Amino acid sequence: MTAFRTLSLAMLKGFVRDKVTLFFTFLFPLMFLVIFGLILRDVGADKTKIAVVGDGQVVSALRDSGVLELEQYNDVDAAVQKVKDGDLPAALIVRGQQLEVRFAQSDQVKSATVLGIVNGFVDKANVAATGQPPRFTFAAEKVEDASLKPIQFLTPGILSWGVAVSAVFGSALTLVSWRRKQVLRRIRLAPVSATSVLSSRLLVSTGVALVQGGIFVGIAMLPVFGLKLSGSWWLAIPLLLLGTIAFFALGMLVGAFAKTEEAASAAANIVVLPMAFLSGTFFPVEQAPAWLQAVSKIFPLRHMNDGMLNVLVRGKGIEALVVPSAVLIGFALVVGFLASRVFKWEE
Amino acid sequence: MTGERSAVVVRDIRKSYGELTAVDGVSFTVAEGEFFGILGPNGAGKTTTLEIIEGLREPDSGEVRLLGESPWPRNVKLLPRIGVQLQASSFFEKLTAKEQLQTFGALYGVSPGTAADMLELVGLADKANEQENKLSGGQRQRLSIACALVHDPDVVFLDEPTAALDPQARRNLWDVLRAIQERGKTIVYTTHYLDEAEILCDRVAIMDEGRILALDPPAVLVRGLDAPTHVTLQKGALSVVDASALDGVEEAHENEVSLTISTRRPAPVLSALAERGALDGLQVRAATLEDVFLDLTGREYRA
Ligand SMILES: Nc1ncnc2c1ncn2[C@@H]1O[C@H](COP(=O)(O)OP(=O)(O)OP(=O)(O)O)[C@@H](O)[C@H]1O
Ligand SMILES: [Mg+2]
């Protein structure tokens, strides 16, 4: 037990003192989170903007509601020109009691939206003008839907990716460097099992994964990025640990084959990068073509992503962990077994 | 040596790497408490032999008994009782000298305090908090030896422990090794330094091309060689003709600076020289292991 504790501590120290590893473990994924988070911040939040000429009761009601963004023009021709150029979907021209909408034919959905909204406000104004209470009333309430703001899918994706990268690289590079520096042979001469050596390294990796999770989520929750966690966020912790184990096993396999550290990181990149892109790290997989979605299902990272997304932001319960956990455990067992078959103590 | 228990018994081990025969039928026995040296040039098969005994490599054929047990396959019962310093030093990354020792110690259940004390033994106390990659070659070497000794093993295997050490450190290490032997431990070590082996070892095996050419206490090897002693004088102290005429002199020759006399009976030659007052620049060089090596292999020793 003291051997296990001392080994874990030794590896933790080795990890913390390696600046390059620290960078790739924490800052590198964070850079992606920050950059994508800032670039994509306003996507999807856009309100429809229309040109307005003139003012009046309807226009001020529209403005107060904030449903549409209004761009004021003094000149009808200028406003219509904007529509003709395709810059704005519609122009609302107010001449006293007379309201006129000129809309672009190209984007019928947007035009119809604008027409519907303006029409609604005109009707409301008419009812109000009669002085009668309205016979039908209407109430609207916001519903949380499944389509997410970018930060909501970026955080689980980049977290899964960051954890996968550091687990794969951590185990592959440790294994190769220990083999090259004869540490493995030296350990083989000591009365400890290979299992306790490996599990102490795994312990460091899982600890690192938890810290990564805390940091990434913490930063994504800053007001600039605006991540909102669901109530079941803590279910991400078991997922994080299983993911670490699975990718640790993958690193062991890579490390068993690679002869040098350079070869190990190249091989790890070749494995991890395509997997990251195809698993929805940087964009929601739902937006990908169907065949790609099917292909991505073979990657454990895809399932880890799905699970993370479901529990961190979609508020799904423990049932959302079943498939990802099964895939990650299965992957860890198969790959871990292969790694133990091809494992070599020395060059 | 008979009657004593054997720490190591090696019987006719062989190991080939493809075409190359690294160890070609090596047999020897090391008694408990013995200081045993394996000497030989690069590629002689010293490391391969050691690693087969330690249980790091499997011999193609032959038998090894280490403390009465077979070291191959990995024999966990044996491991706490042996200490190994590999030829290439092996350390954990980014750990300081003290942490290296404590980590290796922990693998054997040695307390951190005891482990740290080993630094003193190899003269690295002032480098305790230095990271391993910042140590000099000799310091790394000493740390590596300390790591091999940290769990107080009964049999110690050291592969060229004195390579890369300065004369002072080398001598200090000799003291450390002698102290270990005095505590009843067995030491098996390889070296390129024939003079060192002569001083330290109870017995040495001279190895070349995978075979043991000779195995005896150094003094016996040298004596058995029956090589002449060389007496050197300043040039002009005596003429070549006079020197050759002295009783017991086999050969005398002269170069620009000195006269060298070869003899197998140095005592009468030296007294004759003293009688004549011809002792200017006197140097006497008896045969050494180097001569033994030359005699055995027919070539100069190339470390
Ligand atoms: N793993 C290996 N694969 C192939 N050949 C090897 C291997 N290890 C050693 N050899 C060869 O076996 C021979 C003996 O090597 P060994 O390391 O035992 O020599 P050594 O006496 O320790 O030499 P040195 O003084 O240089 O340490 C050498 O010719 C070497 O090239
Ligand atoms: Mg060697």
Side-chain angles (χ1 to χ4, degrees):
Chain A
M1 209 55 213
T2 65
F4 178 74
R5 217 180 47 222
T6 317
L7 272 173
S8 306
L9 197 64
M11 286 173 219
L12 181 63
K13 282 178 183 161
F15 174 84
V16 172
R17 287 172 193 171
D18 190 345
K19 303 271 179 328
V20 177
T21 309
L22 285 182
F23 173 79
F24 280 104
T25 307
F26 296 110
L27 285 182
F28 190 61
L30 260 185
M31 272 163 44
F32 278 82
L33 187 73
V34 168
I35 292 170
F36 280 104
L38 291 179
I39 291 177
L40 300 177
R41 185 162 51 156
D42 298 323
V43 174
D46 267 358
K47 283 186 210 153
T48 306
K49 196 199 270 182
I50 62 168
V52 175
V53 183
D55 209 340
Q57 196 187 343
V58 174
V59 172
S60 45
L62 259 177
R63 189 179 296 120
D64 294 344
S65 75
V67 176
L68 292 174
E69 201 171 326
L70 306 181
E71 197 163 270
Q72 204 72 42
Y73 285 87
N74 295 328
D75 176 17
V76 177
D77 287 344
V80 173
Q81 191 58 44
K82 277 277 171 194
V83 179
K84 279 191 179 147
D85 290 347
D87 290 337
L88 296 173
L92 173 62
I93 296 140
V94 186
R95 296 192 180 92
Q97 307 286 64
Q98 183 91 23
L99 283 85
E100 184 187 340
V101 175
R102 309 275 293 267
F103 62 92
Q105 220 162 4
S106 59
D107 191 345
Q108 301 200 351
V109 179
K110 246 185 193 162
S111 313
T113 312
V114 173
L115 289 179
I117 291 170
V118 174
N119 204 9
F121 277 87
V122 172
D123 287 350
K124 217 169 159 187
N126 280 335
V127 172
T130 62
Q132 298 276 328
R135 182 155 328 147
F136 302 102
T137 59
F138 165 77
E141 203 177 324
K142 258 198 274 182
V143 170
E144 200 77 60
D145 65 353
S147 76
L148 298 168
K149 284 181 67 182
I151 193 68
Q152 302 288 91
F153 71 76
L154 270 177
T155 312
I158 287 181
L159 174 57
S160 306
W161 172 64
V163 166
V165 166
S166 64
V168 171
F169 278 79
S171 65
L173 291 180
T174 303
L175 187 58
V176 171
S177 110
W178 282 9
R179 189 164 52 233
R180 270 166 69 82
K181 296 185 79 191
Q182 309 228 29
V183 175
L184 279 183
R185 304 182 83 207
R186 189 61 187 72
I187 288 173
R188 195 186 185 188
L189 285 168
V192 287
S193 64
T195 320
S196 65
V197 178
L198 277 188
S199 45
S200 60
R201 185 61 185 79
L202 180 58
L203 182 71
V204 171
S205 279
T206 49
V208 168
L210 290 176
V211 174
Q212 282 180 310
I215 292 181
F216 295 173
V217 169
I219 289 188
M221 286 177 78
L222 293 176
V224 242
F225 303 110
L227 171 72
K228 298 217 169 38
L229 285 185
S230 80
S232 59
W233 64 267
W234 53 272
L235 287 172
I237 293 173
L239 200 55
L240 208 61
L241 299 183
L242 288 179
T244 308
I245 295 170
F247 290 109
F248 188 88
L250 183 59
M252 282 287 141
L253 188 61
V254 170
F257 279 112
K259 292 219 159 35
T260 63
E261 281 94 332
E262 290 75 21
S265 36
N269 267 322
I270 288 172
V271 176
V272 173
L273 265 184
M275 181 166 72
F277 277 104
L278 297 179
S279 298
T281 297
F282 305 114
F283 60 90
V285 182
E286 288 82 5
Q287 292 174 7
W291 65 268
L292 199 64
Q293 293 196 35
V295 168
S296 76
K297 286 268 204 293
I298 65 168
F299 297 118
L301 188 58
R302 163 74 204 272
H303 296 276
M304 185 174 172
N305 264 347
D306 284 355
M308 282 288 177
L309 197 62
N310 282 335
V311 299
L312 270 185
V313 299
R314 287 212 164 121
K316 297 236 173 106
I318 201 153
E319 73 283 352
L321 291 187
V322 174
V323 174
S325 303
V327 170
L328 290 174
I329 292 172
F331 182 84
L333 287 178
V334 171
V335 173
F337 175 76
L338 285 180
S340 73
R341 295 285 91 185
V342 292
F343 175 84
K344 290 189 292 276
W345 286 96
E346 51 192 82
E347 285 168 319
Chain B
M1 230 68 62
T2 46
E4 286 176 53
R5 290 200 296 149
S6 302
V8 179
V9 179
V10 179
R11 266 187 229 116
D12 198 30
I13 54 167
R14 284 164 208 277
K15 178 86 187 172
S16 300
Y17 296 107
E19 291 286 276
L20 186 129
T21 308
V23 177
D24 191 8
V26 163
S27 304
F28 60 84
T29 302
V30 181
E32 273 189 5
E34 192 177 1
F35 201 132
F36 188 87
I38 304 178
L39 279 176
N42 289 139
K46 305 182 295 294
T47 300
T48 310
T49 304
L50 271 194
E51 290 186 350
I52 289 172
I53 303 172
E54 294 154 4
L56 277 177
R57 293 188 190 282
E58 186 181 15
D60 295 340
S61 67
E63 199 200 355
V64 179
R65 296 264 127 192
L66 177 53
L67 295 165
E69 308 227 11
S70 171
W72 183 274
R74 189 170 183 254
N75 186 339
V76 181
K77 215 161 20 140
L78 219 42
L79 299 178
R81 300 186 59 195
I82 67 170
V84 174
Q85 178 233 339
L86 297 172
Q87 182 164 7
S89 45
S90 47
F91 294 114
F92 290 99
E93 258 161 52
K94 308 267 174 194
L95 295 193
T96 66
K98 189 160 103 194
E99 289 164 347
Q100 301 281 359
L101 268 169
Q102 291 174 336
T103 307
F104 279 114
L107 298 180
Y108 296 87
V110 174
S111 78
T114 315
D117 288 345
M118 295 298 299
L119 285 171
E120 203 81 50
L121 186 72
V122 292
L124 283 179
D126 56 332
K127 297 283 174 191
N129 297 318
E130 201 75 64
Q131 273 184 29
E132 157 268 320
N133 53 349
K134 304 224 169 70
L135 298 177
S136 77
Q139 289 163 345
R140 288 165 60 88
Q141 187 84 356
R142 282 186 269 159
L143 180 59
S144 165
I145 293 161
C147 289
L149 302 175
V150 70
H151 56 293
D152 196 26
D154 295 331
V155 185
V156 183
F157 295 94
L158 304 168
D159 202 348
E160 296 187 21
T162 51
L165 295 194
D166 64 38
Q168 180 61 45
R170 184 126 66 101
R171 247 149 264 250
N172 290 345
L173 186 63
W174 292 357
D175 292 339
V176 172
L177 296 182
R178 283 205 192 94
I180 293 169
Q181 192 198 9
E182 268 158 33
R183 298 212 334 265
K185 313 288 178 178
T186 310
I187 300 173
V188 180
Y189 104 123
T190 73
T191 184
H192 286 154
Y193 299 110
L194 298 164
D195 53 337
E196 175 185 289
E198 210 166 340
I199 295 169
L200 286 177
C201 295
D202 295 323
R203 287 189 308 151
V204 296
I206 295 184
M207 223 182 150
D208 194 23
E209 295 175 346
R211 292 170 208 267
I212 291 185
L213 304 178
L215 196 168
D216 259 315
V220 173
L221 284 176
V222 173
R223 217 179 308 129
L225 183 61
D226 190 31
T229 299
H230 298 287
V231 178
T232 311
L233 296 169
Q234 207 173 69
K235 184 180 169 173
L238 201 68
S239 75
V240 177
V241 180
D242 287 345
S244 303
L246 293 177
D247 180 32
V249 170
E250 288 170 19
E251 199 213 325
H253 62 88
E254 199 179 44
N255 63 15
E256 296 85 62
V257 289
S258 56
L259 169 76
T260 304
I261 302 168
S262 304
T263 174
R264 281 189 168 71
R265 290 186 289 130
V269 172
L270 285 173
S271 53
L273 287 176
E275 265 167 41
R276 289 160 194 247
L279 292 176
D280 288 348
L282 176 77
Q283 275 180 4
V284 180
R285 196 179 77 84
T288 62
L289 280 179
E290 232 146 298
D291 302 293
V292 176
F293 188 86
L294 180 67
D295 182 62
L296 287 170
T297 64
R299 17 174 237 273
E300 289 290 337
Y301 183 76
R302 42 180 174 86

